Amino acid sequence: MDKDKPQNEHPLVIFMPSGLRGRIPAGTTLLDAARQVGVEIESICGGQLTCGKCKIRIETGTFPKHGIRSEERHVSPTSPEEAELLKAERAQGCRLACSTTLLGDVLVTIPEESQTRKQIIRKSATERPIEVQPAIRQVYVTVEEPKLEDPQGDWERLQKALSVQWGLQSLRMDVSALQNLPEVLRQGHWSVTVILWQQGEVIAVYPGFREGIHGLAVDIGTTTLAAYLCDLRTGELLATEAMMNPQVTYGEDLMSRVSYAMTHLDGLEKMHTNIIHAINELAKRAVEQAGLQTQDIHEAVLVGNTVMHHILLGIDPNQLGKAPFALVTHDPLDIKARDLGLRLNMGANAHILPLIAGHVGADNVGVLLAEEPHAQDEMVLIFDIGTNGEILLGNRNRVLSASSPTGPAFEGAQITHGMRAAPGAIERVRIPPQTKEPRLKIISDDHWSDEAAFPPRSVAGICGSGIIEAVAELFMAGILLPDGRFNPDCQHPRLLQGDQGRAYVLANAEQTKSGQPVVITQKDVRAIQLAKAALHAGAKLLMKRANIHTADKIILAGAFGSYISPKHAMVLGLIPDCPLDKVFAVGNAAGDGARIALLNRQKRLEAKEIARWVEYVETAVEPTFQDEFVAALNLPHSRDPYPHIQVCLSEQRDCAGAHADESDHVTRKSSDGK
Amino acid sequence: MDKDKPQNEHPLVIFMPSGLRGRIPAGTTLLDAARQVGVEIESICGGQLTCGKCKIRIETGTFPKHGIRSEERHVSPTSPEEAELLKAERAQGCRLACSTTLLGDVLVTIPEESQTRKQIIRKSATERPIEVQPAIRQVYVTVEEPKLEDPQGDWERLQKALSVQWGLQSLRMDVSALQNLPEVLRQGHWSVTVILWQQGEVIAVYPGFREGIHGLAVDIGTTTLAAYLCDLRTGELLATEAMMNPQVTYGEDLMSRVSYAMTHLDGLEKMHTNIIHAINELAKRAVEQAGLQTQDIHEAVLVGNTVMHHILLGIDPNQLGKAPFALVTHDPLDIKARDLGLRLNMGANAHILPLIAGHVGADNVGVLLAEEPHAQDEMVLIFDIGTNGEILLGNRNRVLSASSPTGPAFEGAQITHGMRAAPGAIERVRIPPQTKEPRLKIISDDHWSDEAAFPPRSVAGICGSGIIEAVAELFMAGILLPDGRFNPDCQHPRLLQGDQGRAYVLANAEQTKSGQPVVITQKDVRAIQLAKAALHAGAKLLMKRANIHTADKIILAGAFGSYISPKHAMVLGLIPDCPLDKVFAVGNAAGDGARIALLNRQKRLEAKEIARWVEYVETAVEPTFQDEFVAALNLPHSRDPYPHIQVCLSEQRDCAGAHADESDHVTRKSSDGK
């Protein structure tokens, strides 16, 4: 045999920087190989060779430290489609993991932009006054000892004690608590602490007096998972943990996930297991942080959009991908956490908030609980901007809801140098009209930097908030016209002419990690226009239904929503015109809603009621949606006056300095002190 | 190294006749090694070197077929205690598996008597009229299709259909049914069959019209498990399956099991897993027999004594082994079968009948449901004789219950040549007073045989019913005196004088498999006297409490109970005197009770009520128990007159022929046609 030819049926593959390795059958794609050894690679299209995000680099040579000889010919050759997507990066040895198959031993580097783990998690809990009235209660009782003459079982004697000492009647007992009862009673010398759920079920018993009942609120976002560990007695937030939704490996947007479940026999099972493992991991981290154990979590409340909700429950989300978008149920659910595979206290209940409609999920019900438009006189317009855009409008008389097909542009996908909110991402942009030279702020960098002062090779790309600001600033600086085109009259060294039209250089080659300039292209501006027009048109439809022209108050919610500059969002026309001091960024309101339902069982009844009461508007069937959408494509809008932006624009012209930025963000006090 | 010396740290061990093999760490006992490779060896004491039942033979030589060279020195040498228990069998190469440790490769033969798998299962269901009113109900409904304008979930639309078409309200749905709902509705083109539990919970949904609801009744005996698969619509018994309780490996009687759980950290877990696996296996066999699948079983009802009940639920039975014998609960339990690890329909409920007291379990509640003493005017005395003896006495005014420490003698344990009801066991004995020569019937042998006609080398030992008949016949033939001693005036070639006193040869050396005679020794007679006296004394205590001298009716229940000859039981004084035509053998009444509760949900309420209503008499604390026990040691009794036996004895003298035997057994018609 030719000893140079790779002939191993299970070549060794090592992924850097993690160093995770494995022997994988030859012919496997590197994207699949990565999954198999537990490495996450960024992927939007889920391997359909359209997004070009799963860039990796094949290292060549002998690496004695890793005990591997890696060669380029140990993987399949580059296909024309792949080459098209890779462009200049092909010369740097880049490949797409999804279309590169394994033939022999290789050492693979995953560039920072392609790593999914480095996410900066922005979902932190907001301090809100919540009345603590949980579904979990603990009582301490002394139980009569058994006697030969009194042939009562341990559980009967405990029931008697609970009835006499606490007036509790008609109790059930979970089998997991029953299993421990004999030992616990004797260990506690006939005094025990009983954990009750909904006043009716004993879910755990502990020997002696033992203070402490805890709950976990979980927000299952399409991209990010956030978990809040709470003391159910005091309401105190003990720990916040967040991580990427591991399902992003199967596609970044909801429809890719639905499609993955439809096209793979084990797709649903895989994604369900994935999300359950992830929540278990979050729970583990949260209790570690608080010095507790997972069995100390006595209840969980979970929210998520409709697709996440179905996958969490192990229900095929297939129907959510096509009209009439039928859900399995709108009702809130109480399920033993163990039945979902969650490893909390063995008797713990998992409460899942109700859904509103095919595209408006339990996460939106969480937003309702947190923001309570239904309890206000003012007309409130709420944008929940995550990977999906959802809109609520109303007051105590009526609340309307809609879901808007924004697409993933706000998350950095479909943007030339777009990326998630990870280290090296440009998150803030200022372009003073006088100089038209950009000033940037990147994640992991506290200071605004102009070109000269910027640390070299630190920029990796641009994230959602950066893109919004960049486009709005380009518009305010006169570089972009209201229709989104680059102004042909404007000439500047930062403006390049490429194959695909003009582009503005935000960071030049010396500033970036890749050594390629980070630019905003005409295509990028178009993507942002489409996304913001969808949101705006959705809001306009609801306003029309509610018969109002302006909202009294606008709320930007969502992990991403809380980082949008309200001024820039308005300049862009993402939100309708409104006094700027009536625009609030509230952070992860969905997660806050889950926390509210966790801490207050009355709020669960309220959630059930409002979920049914809220009027869902299916934008897809509204005849005027298309018209509104087209009108909203312009910056800020082709028809609507934006009186408050005129003020902003003149302010912007007057004081284009560093200090103006601090007043741009109207934020409530956040519990993590940021 | 000395190549003759066994030096392998994991010697190979092969068990015959199964051929199961494994490499087991040196130093392991052969009893443990057998467990590890999945071979069951008879063991009563659970390895405490007191029962001498775990006999095995080390084969020596080279066995090319098995690829092993087996030598005697590949196991530990025989200890004096072991030699004492083995006696003559030591010369035949026998060892006790529990005290023989592995040093090198060995081929081990397990003699038939030491195999636990060859059990003849006598637990068959009795035909009883049962009103069919199960907890499971199936309804067929047509559900409205979802429309874009009607944003109701699948479950909401199903609820509406169930309400409109069947008047069913306030329904819950099990998560497992919810998971399938979207697919099932669409597969069934919006017509589905819904399975409801207790009129309140949807536990399964099937596309279209699908007839068939099924349930499994399970009797968890200490020694034998029996399962009855029923059609829940017609009540029809579709399949009966039985097998050894795999826990017998951990000790044959209940207290050995409790002790195993106490002395082994994973003892409870092991026995719990064992019983769950066994029930799953029974369910699998039963559905295969009926052409169904395990997911077709929509409910299970389980009964067992208190120790089996606790182990089934995964509850430490520790407290049942010591005063005050506190149970975890007396109440009936409804638990999702999946929570116990049972693999039936995913939504299936497991109903566990209530317990009466520390020693009187759900199996006895089953007997109550089957025999209904509480619904009768006659005073009924019920003996449930299995590995444990339980007694019920009463009528519609009052029912008393007691548990009697019979010990395992009736099961063949503690008897010199005792064995379970397995092939080769003597099950019937006649000893005509004229000849004093025995006539025997062995299991797997249809005919009565006297010495001449008996097939050579076919007898392995004597089982419970055989022992009872043998002792009673020896007494009736004048060989035994009323106090149980061998009559010193009686001389016969069958009577031997050994170290331990006299013995009667039931089968001589030519007739037995071992080549050693099967005898009844003085010690065996004493063991039977102790066991029957305990039962009799228990019954007497109850009769005293009830203020009666004779019962109107005596019922012999239990797998073993149904094979006892009523006449011989009375001659022995196991049961009090009573007209013989008022003694009934009813088979496995506990299993029948489970079946009744499975088929009729009203009977579950009745069971709960009577379990609390029955008066439990703790014989251990009754001051007169000891006196009654001593008086009951004589054959049939030292004080009580047995007028009906006088008749029997004269009958016996008149017609000691083969035809008299058929009238000995008063049995109800049994569904298996035996």
Side-chain angles (χ1 to χ4, degrees):
Chain A
M1 272 191 283
D2 176 1
K3 75 182 261 286
D4 274 334
K5 209 175 161 194
Q7 53 207 222
N8 193 339
E9 283 182 16
H10 286 81
L12 177 67
V13 53
I14 306 177
F15 290 96
M16 300 305 294
S18 68
L20 285 168
R21 58 171 64 204
R23 291 207 165 267
I24 306 291
T28 308
T29 69
L30 286 177
L31 188 62
D32 279 339
R35 281 173 196 167
Q36 288 179 35
V37 301
V39 169
E40 287 176 19
I41 298 181
E42 181 98 35
S43 163
I44 297 177
C45 66
Q48 292 170 44
L49 209 54
T50 56
C51 77
K53 291 289 176 197
C54 60
K55 290 191 195 82
I56 45 123
R57 208 165 53 235
I58 307 293
E59 308 294 347
T60 56
T62 303
F63 301 89
K65 191 183 150 202
H66 301 294
I68 194 168
R69 170 153 188 91
S70 174
E71 290 187 39
E72 215 170 312
R73 61 183 182 137
H74 287 188
V75 293
S76 58
T78 311
S79 69
E81 294 84 354
E82 195 188 347
E84 172 63 22
L85 280 160
L86 281 167
K87 295 206 185 80
E89 280 156 297
R90 196 185 160 188
Q92 295 153 38
C94 267
R95 295 293 304 269
L96 295 181
C98 72
S99 59
T100 308
T101 58
L102 202 58
L103 301 175
D105 296 353
V106 280
L107 184 71
V108 178
T109 297
I110 306 166
E112 202 145 30
E113 311 92 280
S114 301
Q115 293 168 27
T116 59
R117 286 233 181 248
K118 285 247 164 178
Q119 179 81 354
I120 296 292
I121 300 301
R122 289 168 151 182
K123 289 193 174 183
S124 60
T126 308
E127 237 174 55
R128 296 171 189 270
I130 304 170
E131 194 194 333
V132 180
Q133 196 185 349
I136 299 294
R137 178 182 176 189
Q138 58 185 348
V139 296
Y140 175 74
V141 282
T142 301
V143 179
E144 276 177 33
E145 286 189 42
K147 289 187 205 76
L148 211 45
E149 309 76 49
D150 171 28
Q152 289 291 301
D154 286 349
W155 167 226
E156 280 84 43
R157 278 176 285 110
L158 176 59
Q159 275 175 293
K160 191 178 162 196
L162 288 167
S163 166
V164 171
Q165 293 162 50
W166 293 94
L168 292 161
Q169 305 280 350
S170 310
L171 297 177
R172 286 164 295 129
M173 190 172 212
D174 187 71
V175 63
S176 65
L178 198 69
Q179 285 171 336
N180 299 324
L181 185 60
E183 204 186 335
V184 165
L185 279 172
R186 283 151 189 93
Q187 252 184 39
H189 305 290
W190 307 99
S191 292
V192 292
T193 303
V194 175
I195 310 293
L196 291 148
W197 179 69
Q198 294 282 28
Q199 314 274 358
E201 187 185 24
V202 173
I203 61 163
V205 213
Y206 298 101
F209 181 77
R210 183 182 185 279
E211 213 172 335
I213 44 173
H214 305 93
L216 193 74
V218 183
D219 171 28
I220 305 166
T222 312
T223 307
T224 308
L225 308 177
Y228 308 96
L229 179 67
C230 299
D231 184 320
L232 292 183
R233 219 172 39 81
T234 63
E236 195 192 341
L237 180 65
L238 302 176
T240 300
E241 283 290 340
M243 67 185 282
M244 292 292 303
N245 185 333
Q247 296 172 351
V248 293
T249 316
Y250 306 108
E252 194 144 333
D253 62 71
L254 290 179
M255 286 311 122
S256 313
R257 308 261 173 99
V258 172
S259 139
Y260 188 82
M262 281 175 69
T263 54
H264 293 74
L265 216 74
D266 60 350
L268 169 62
E269 174 63 25
K270 259 190 188 168
M271 290 192 287
H272 171 69
T273 310
N274 251 331
I275 197 74
I276 295 297
H277 284 182
I279 297 172
N280 284 336
E281 176 62 27
L282 284 176
K284 219 177 94 201
R285 289 191 205 161
V287 292
E288 270 168 19
Q289 206 181 308
L292 297 169
Q293 296 188 298
T294 45
Q295 53 262 49
D296 294 325
I297 301 176
H298 297 101
E299 199 183 26
V301 170
L302 301 109
V303 301
N305 58 53
T306 54
V307 175
M308 291 301 106
H309 171 278
H310 278 47
I311 295 176
L312 169 75
L313 292 170
I315 297 169
D316 192 342
N318 186 347
Q319 296 304 323
L320 306 179
K322 57 192 180 197
F325 312 108
L327 294 166
V328 71
T329 181
H330 290 80
D331 283 345
L333 294 168
D334 285 305
I335 298 171
K336 283 284 168 196
R338 63 173 179 252
D339 281 343
L340 294 175
L342 296 176
R343 296 194 178 174
L344 313 178
N345 185 286
M346 269 300 283
N349 175 64
H351 181 82
I352 295 143
L353 282 182
L355 304 175
I356 296 177
H359 290 131
V360 184
D363 47 355
N364 240 250
V365 176
V367 172
L368 283 168
L369 280 188
E371 292 303 323
E372 297 187 318
H374 53 283
Q376 299 179 34
D377 295 319
E378 284 184 306
M379 203 54 145
V380 191
L381 178 59
I382 307 174
F383 291 88
D384 190 13
I385 309 170
T387 308
N388 252 47
E390 278 123 24
I391 311 158
L392 292 161
L393 173 69
N395 59 14
R396 63 174 76 255
N397 301 317
R398 184 184 190 189
V399 172
L400 303 167
S401 81
S403 167
S404 233
T406 48
F410 290 145
E411 298 278 310
Q414 296 178 357
I415 300 294
T416 310
H417 292 102
M419 65 181 285
R420 296 224 195 80
I426 298 168
E427 65 166 347
R428 295 284 176 77
V429 178
R430 290 295 175 276
I431 305 173
Q434 298 82 359
T435 63
K436 295 187 173 46
E437 284 294 330
R439 304 184 64 227
L440 309 175
K441 198 170 169 185
I442 63 169
I443 290 176
S444 306
D445 179 48
D446 285 347
H447 308 288
W448 284 97
S449 302
D450 53 24
E451 201 176 343
F454 220 92
R457 304 188 72 79
S458 55
V459 176
I462 184 162
C463 71
S465 58
I467 292 159
I468 287 177
E469 294 199 356
V471 176
E473 290 280 329
L474 285 172
F475 173 52
M476 288 191 288
I479 299 168
L480 290 178
L481 295 175
D483 64 5
R485 281 185 302 133
F486 278 93
N487 185 348
D489 299 336
C490 183
Q491 300 299 330
H492 193 272
R494 288 266 166 188
L495 284 163
L496 305 175
Q497 181 67 42
D499 305 341
Q500 317 255 330
R502 295 177 85 185
Y504 177 85
V505 178
L506 267 182
N508 58 38
E510 292 76 46
Q511 292 174 313
T512 65
K513 295 183 181 193
S514 67
Q516 299 285 319
V518 167
V519 300
I520 300 283
T521 67
Q522 185 66 68
K523 189 174 132 271
D524 297 341
V525 176
R526 290 287 176 230
I528 290 296
Q529 281 179 284
L530 292 171
K532 75 100 184 177
L535 270 184
H536 188 109
K540 281 299 281 290
L541 278 186
L542 295 191
M543 289 165 79
K544 218 165 167 182
R545 278 274 180 109
N547 212 15
I548 59 163
H549 289 289
T550 52
D552 299 323
K553 192 160 101 179
I554 292 179
I555 288 170
L556 295 169
F560 166 68
S562 62
Y563 284 79
I564 299 177
S565 147
K567 187 181 75 180
H568 290 89
M570 207 179 288
V571 168
L572 214 56
L574 187 155
I575 56 176
D577 187 67
C578 176
L580 266 182
D581 62 354
K582 298 300 277 178
V583 183
F584 302 91
V586 298
N588 184 14
D592 288 341
R595 211 155 45 91
I596 290 166
L598 177 67
L599 293 176
N600 188 318
R601 63 177 190 276
Q602 294 303 327
K603 288 287 176 181
R604 301 183 193 179
L605 303 177
E606 185 181 321
K608 186 178 174 178
E609 239 170 67
I610 53 174
R612 287 185 173 272
W613 173 73
V614 162
E615 297 168 50
Y616 175 64
V617 179
E618 178 61 62
T619 51
V621 297
E622 284 287 328
T624 59
F625 182 79
Q626 196 56 28
D627 175 53
E628 284 294 349
F629 177 73
V630 171
L633 283 168
N634 264 23
L635 304 177
H637 198 273
S638 56
R639 286 197 299 242
D640 296 356
Y642 264 79
H644 292 93
I645 293 179
Q646 302 311 319
V647 177
C648 285
L649 286 171
S650 54
E651 265 177 13
Q652 170 75 13
R653 279 181 209 107
D654 296 343
C655 58
H659 299 291
D661 311 308
E662 277 144 32
S663 64
D664 283 359
H665 283 73
V666 182
T667 48
R668 291 187 190 168
K669 197 183 167 205
S670 162
S671 67
D672 62 359
K674 278 184 197 155
Chain B
M1 273 191 277
D2 176 3
K3 75 182 261 289
D4 274 335
K5 209 177 162 191
Q7 52 206 226
N8 194 338
E9 282 182 17
H10 286 80
L12 178 66
V13 54
I14 306 178
F15 290 95
M16 300 306 293
S18 68
L20 286 168
R21 57 170 64 204
R23 291 207 165 267
I24 306 292
T28 308
T29 69
L30 287 178
L31 189 62
D32 279 339
R35 281 174 196 167
Q36 288 179 35
V37 301
V39 169
E40 285 175 20
I41 297 181
E42 182 97 36
S43 163
I44 297 177
C45 65
Q48 292 170 46
L49 208 53
T50 57
C51 76
K53 291 291 174 196
C54 60
K55 289 192 196 80
I56 45 122
R57 208 166 53 234
I58 308 294
E59 308 293 348
T60 56
T62 303
F63 301 89
K65 190 185 151 200
H66 301 295
I68 195 167
R69 171 154 187 87
S70 175
E71 292 187 36
E72 215 169 312
R73 59 184 184 136
H74 287 188
V75 293
S76 58
T78 310
S79 70
E81 294 84 355
E82 195 188 346
E84 173 64 21
L85 280 160
L86 282 166
K87 294 208 187 79
E89 281 155 297
R90 196 185 160 188
Q92 294 154 36
C94 267
R95 293 294 304 270
L96 295 180
C98 71
S99 59
T100 308
T101 58
L102 202 57
L103 302 175
D105 295 353
V106 279
L107 184 70
V108 179
T109 298
I110 306 166
E112 203 147 26
E113 311 92 283
S114 301
Q115 292 169 28
T116 60
R117 287 233 181 248
K118 285 245 162 178
Q119 179 81 355
I120 296 292
I121 301 299
R122 291 169 149 183
K123 291 193 173 184
S124 60
T126 308
E127 237 174 54
R128 296 171 188 268
I130 303 170
E131 193 194 333
V132 180
Q133 196 185 347
I136 300 293
R137 178 184 176 186
Q138 58 186 347
V139 296
Y140 175 74
V141 282
T142 300
V143 178
E144 277 177 31
E145 286 191 42
K147 290 188 204 74
L148 211 44
E149 309 75 48
D150 172 29
Q152 289 290 301
D154 286 349
W155 169 226
E156 281 84 42
R157 278 176 286 110
L158 177 59
Q159 275 175 292
K160 191 178 162 195
L162 288 167
S163 166
V164 170
Q165 293 163 53
W166 292 94
L168 292 161
Q169 305 280 349
S170 308
L171 296 177
R172 286 164 294 127
M173 188 172 215
D174 187 72
V175 63
S176 65
L178 198 68
Q179 285 171 337
N180 298 324
L181 185 60
E183 204 186 335
V184 166
L185 279 172
R186 284 153 188 92
Q187 253 184 37
H189 305 291
W190 308 100
S191 292
V192 292
T193 303
V194 175
I195 310 291
L196 291 148
W197 179 70
Q198 294 282 29
Q199 314 274 359
E201 188 185 23
V202 173
I203 60 163
V205 213
Y206 299 101
F209 181 77
R210 183 184 185 278
E211 212 173 334
I213 43 174
H214 305 93
L216 194 73
V218 183
D219 172 28
I220 305 167
T222 312
T223 306
T224 309
L225 308 176
Y228 309 96
L229 179 68
C230 300
D231 184 319
L232 294 183
R233 220 172 39 80
T234 62
E236 196 192 341
L237 179 65
L238 301 177
T240 300
E241 284 290 341
M243 67 186 283
M244 292 291 303
N245 185 333
Q247 296 172 353
V248 293
T249 315
Y250 305 109
E252 193 145 333
D253 62 69
L254 289 178
M255 285 312 121
S256 312
R257 308 258 174 100
V258 172
S259 142
Y260 188 82
M262 279 175 72
T263 53
H264 293 74
L265 216 75
D266 59 349
L268 169 62
E269 174 64 24
K270 259 189 190 170
M271 290 192 286
H272 171 69
T273 310
N274 251 330
I275 197 73
I276 295 297
H277 285 182
I279 297 171
N280 284 336
E281 176 62 26
L282 284 176
K284 220 177 95 204
R285 289 192 206 161
V287 292
E288 269 167 20
Q289 206 181 309
L292 298 168
Q293 297 188 298
T294 46
Q295 53 264 45
D296 294 326
I297 300 177
H298 296 102
E299 199 183 24
V301 170
L302 302 109
V303 301
N305 59 53
T306 54
V307 175
M308 291 301 106
H309 171 280
H310 278 47
I311 295 176
L312 170 76
L313 291 170
I315 297 169
D316 192 342
N318 186 348
Q319 296 305 322
L320 306 179
K322 55 192 181 196
F325 313 108
L327 295 166
V328 72
T329 181
H330 290 79
D331 283 345
L333 294 169
D334 284 305
I335 297 170
K336 283 284 167 196
R338 62 173 180 251
D339 282 343
L340 294 175
L342 295 176
R343 297 194 178 171
L344 312 177
N345 186 286
M346 269 301 283
N349 175 63
H351 181 83
I352 294 144
L353 282 182
L355 304 175
I356 296 177
H359 290 132
V360 184
D363 47 355
N364 241 250
V365 175
V367 172
L368 283 168
L369 280 187
E371 292 303 323
E372 298 188 318
H374 53 282
Q376 298 180 35
D377 294 319
E378 283 184 307
M379 203 52 146
V380 190
L381 178 59
I382 307 174
F383 291 88
D384 189 12
I385 308 170
T387 308
N388 252 46
E390 278 123 25
I391 311 157
L392 292 162
L393 172 69
N395 60 14
R396 64 174 74 256
N397 301 317
R398 184 184 191 189
V399 172
L400 302 167
S401 81
S403 166
S404 232
T406 48
F410 290 145
E411 298 279 309
Q414 296 178 359
I415 300 295
T416 310
H417 291 103
M419 65 180 288
R420 295 222 195 83
I426 297 168
E427 65 166 347
R428 295 285 175 79
V429 178
R430 289 296 174 274
I431 305 174
Q434 299 81 357
T435 65
K436 295 188 173 48
E437 284 293 333
R439 306 183 64 227
L440 309 176
K441 197 170 170 185
I442 64 170
I443 291 177
S444 305
D445 179 50
D446 285 346
H447 307 287
W448 284 97
S449 303
D450 52 25
E451 200 176 344
F454 219 91
R457 303 189 74 82
S458 54
V459 176
I462 183 162
C463 71
S465 56
I467 292 161
I468 286 177
E469 294 199 356
V471 175
E473 291 280 329
L474 285 172
F475 173 53
M476 288 189 288
I479 300 169
L480 290 179
L481 296 175
D483 64 4
R485 278 185 305 134
F486 277 93
N487 186 350
D489 299 336
C490 182
Q491 300 299 329
H492 193 274
R494 289 263 168 192
L495 284 163
L496 307 175
Q497 181 67 42
D499 306 341
Q500 317 254 329
R502 296 177 84 185
Y504 177 84
V505 179
L506 267 182
N508 58 38
E510 291 75 47
Q511 292 174 312
T512 65
K513 295 184 181 191
S514 67
Q516 299 286 317
V518 167
V519 300
I520 300 283
T521 67
Q522 185 66 69
K523 188 174 133 271
D524 297 341
V525 177
R526 291 285 176 232
I528 291 295
Q529 281 178 284
L530 291 171
K532 75 100 184 176
L535 271 183
H536 188 107
K540 281 299 282 291
L541 278 186
L542 295 191
M543 288 164 81
K544 218 165 168 183
R545 278 274 180 108
N547 212 16
I548 58 164
H549 290 286
T550 51
D552 300 323
K553 190 160 100 180
I554 292 180
I555 288 169
L556 295 169
F560 167 67
S562 61
Y563 285 78
I564 300 176
S565 146
K567 185 182 78 179
H568 290 89
M570 208 180 288
V571 167
L572 215 56
L574 188 154
I575 56 175
D577 186 67
C578 177
L580 267 181
D581 62 353
K582 297 301 275 180
V583 183
F584 302 91
V586 298
N588 184 14
D592 287 342
R595 210 155 45 90
I596 289 166
L598 176 67
L599 293 177
N600 188 319
R601 65 178 189 277
Q602 294 303 327
K603 288 287 177 181
R604 301 182 193 180
L605 304 177
E606 185 182 320
K608 186 178 175 178
E609 237 169 69
I610 53 173
R612 286 184 174 272
W613 174 75
V614 162
E615 297 169 51
Y616 174 63
V617 179
E618 178 60 62
T619 51
V621 297
E622 285 286 328
T624 59
F625 181 79
Q626 196 56 26
D627 175 52
E628 284 294 349
F629 177 72
V630 171
L633 283 169
N634 264 25
L635 304 177
H637 197 273
S638 56
R639 285 196 302 241
D640 296 357
Y642 265 78
H644 294 93
I645 292 178
Q646 300 313 318
V647 177
C648 285
L649 286 172
S650 55
E651 264 177 14
Q652 170 76 13
R653 278 180 208 110
D654 297 345
C655 58
H659 299 292
D661 311 302
E662 277 144 35
S663 64
D664 285 358
H665 282 73
V666 182
T667 47
R668 290 189 191 167
K669 196 184 166 204
S670 161
S671 66
D672 63 358
K674 279 188 193 151

